[in-house]
Amino acid sequence: MYFDLPADQLAAYTSSQIRPADFESFWEETLAEARSHPLNLTVTAEPTVLATVDVYDVQFNGWNGEPVRAWLRLPHGTSEPLPCVVEFVGYGGGRGEPQDNLLLASSGFAHLQMDTRGQGAGWSRGATADGAGSGGPQVPGLMTRGILDPHTYYYRRLFTDAVRAVQAARELDWVDPDRVALTGISQGGGVALATAALCPDVRAVVARVPFLCDFPRALQITDAYPYREIGAFLSIHRTEAARAQQTLQYFDGVNFAQQATVPAMITVGLMDATTPPSTVYAAYNAYAGPKQITAWPFNGHEGGGPEDDVAAIRFLRDMTAPDPSAAAGEPEVGQTAAAM
């Protein structure tokens, strides 16, 4: 059902989120620290039953020099550098199995799917720990890990991993380093938006039903997980709400959107209680670069499903063309709406 703002108000909605004065310097310092560690990129062929896609197990150093895993999927027999799409995973999931998620490679892209530190036990398997001694993947419950200080918050580590994944992609022999784009759904969409702001030289970003946007409104209008984890924490730690909200300012997709300038495709389900429509529009309306949004009036967190898949492939293909400004069929940038 519809529970959020009417469509005309969504189109004009802006977030009340505050952007800290040191937002950019916080992230510059965070990424500079990450770059002080060697990338230590390793690539190992992964045996599979697949005939049309080759898979490689990739490892690189992310935040604090800690190892992060990924799958690299390529069209079988790739010998020339390809445009690459770096994908980030939804909340609770990991990189999954090597034979999963074949659409991007089957569409002609090099596809680097980053594992999500500490996750990967909710709906797909992961293999990356959240730091030494953390014990590896866990069932979701990470939204409040370190939330009382931006330096210790979980998403500082995850967003840093994502930036390092872009660096790793560019060093792969099968990848054209000048033709890298980003994608993700839900949490993956939120990570992709943040990474687009922190890696301004990528070609494009596709953020589908993005999570981690407009925390002030999300915490007021939905009690669905994962946002509910924060509300549950603050219902016990009642006096810490201001500190938690100050931390979240450094990780809000709305604040990243304000400095992101690469072409963006964003999708939203107007019946989505997990990432409420107004929170997605908050990021879209704040987005500084060329942008388009597709709203699905009768869908929830699944968004446009296979229709979004096809639209994303076409958008990414155009944006990663050797000369994207001359790409045939380059999508018009602006607001769009799905058929009623």
Side-chain angles (χ1 to χ4, degrees):
M1 67 178 185
Y2 293 128
F3 67 96
D4 207 338
L5 299 173
D8 60 335
Q9 293 182 34
L10 288 172
Y13 171 73
T14 57
S15 174
S16 65
Q17 182 59 281
I18 297 169
R19 194 168 193 263
D22 65 341
F23 182 87
E24 291 190 31
S25 62
F26 172 84
W27 282 106
E28 287 169 359
E29 292 167 8
T30 295
L31 298 181
E33 193 282 331
R35 287 190 294 268
S36 72
H37 301 278
L39 190 63
N40 284 350
L41 178 65
T42 63
V43 182
T44 306
E46 181 73 14
T48 73
V49 297
L50 303 173
T52 60
V53 173
D54 298 330
V55 184
Y56 295 84
D57 185 0
V58 174
Q59 182 170 297
F60 61 90
N61 286 346
W63 185 87
N64 197 37
E66 295 169 0
V68 178
R69 305 289 287 276
W71 291 126
L72 173 66
R73 300 183 180 92
L74 300 167
H76 176 62
T78 295
S79 58
E80 299 294 328
L82 296 174
C84 179
V85 179
V86 180
E87 181 175 10
F88 310 109
V89 181
Y91 192 65
R95 65 176 180 167
E97 306 301 330
Q99 68 273 11
D100 294 343
N101 197 2
L102 304 179
L103 178 61
L104 285 162
S106 299
S107 300
F109 295 98
H111 173 210
L112 186 71
Q113 183 181 19
M114 189 187 83
D115 203 17
T116 310
R117 63 168 52 235
Q119 300 186 33
W123 55 271
S124 66
R125 195 176 306 178
T128 300
D130 184 22
S134 69
Q138 68 175 66
V139 171
L142 293 158
M143 290 299 298
T144 61
R145 183 175 286 184
I147 197 171
L148 298 183
D149 187 324
H151 292 88
T152 59
Y153 192 41
Y154 169 80
Y155 282 98
R156 182 183 184 221
R157 301 188 289 281
L158 183 58
F159 291 176
T160 302
D161 292 346
V163 172
R164 296 282 272 178
V166 172
Q167 181 182 351
R170 287 178 163 146
E171 296 194 12
L172 295 167
D173 292 339
W174 303 273
V175 170
D176 181 340
D178 295 324
R179 298 161 60 192
V180 175
L182 313 170
T183 193
I185 302 174
S186 190
Q187 174 186 254
V191 176
L193 284 175
T195 309
L198 298 172
C199 297
D201 56 349
V202 297
R203 284 290 188 92
V205 58
V206 175
R208 295 165 58 176
V209 294
F211 178 50
L212 306 170
C213 298
D214 197 4
F215 284 105
R217 182 162 177 82
L219 295 177
Q220 291 180 358
I221 67 169
T222 183
D223 63 355
Y225 288 104
Y227 284 118
R228 185 173 178 178
E229 291 181 23
I230 299 175
F233 176 88
L234 295 177
S235 73
I236 302 300
H237 297 272
R238 299 173 181 85
T239 62
E240 302 289 6
R243 285 182 66 191
Q245 290 167 350
Q246 288 170 0
T247 291
L248 293 173
Q249 293 170 1
Y250 292 87
F251 304 93
D252 198 312
V254 171
N255 288 338
F256 284 110
Q258 293 177 36
Q259 73 179 60
T261 59
V262 305
M265 171 184 163
I266 297 173
T267 70
V268 58
L270 297 188
M271 295 184 177
D272 188 349
T274 303
T275 57
S278 57
T279 68
V280 177
Y281 271 92
Y284 173 77
N285 290 331
Y287 197 87
K291 59 191 176 182
Q292 62 182 45
I293 188 167
T294 301
W296 298 100
F298 297 101
N299 289 97
H301 200 49
E302 73 281 6
E307 283 78 12
D308 276 350
D309 287 340
V310 171
I313 292 296
R314 289 173 173 161
F315 178 80
L316 290 166
R317 190 170 283 156
D318 285 343
M319 294 298 102
T320 59
D323 180 3
S325 64
E330 182 174 345
E332 180 181 352
V333 175
Q335 184 152 326
T336 62
M340 298 294 285

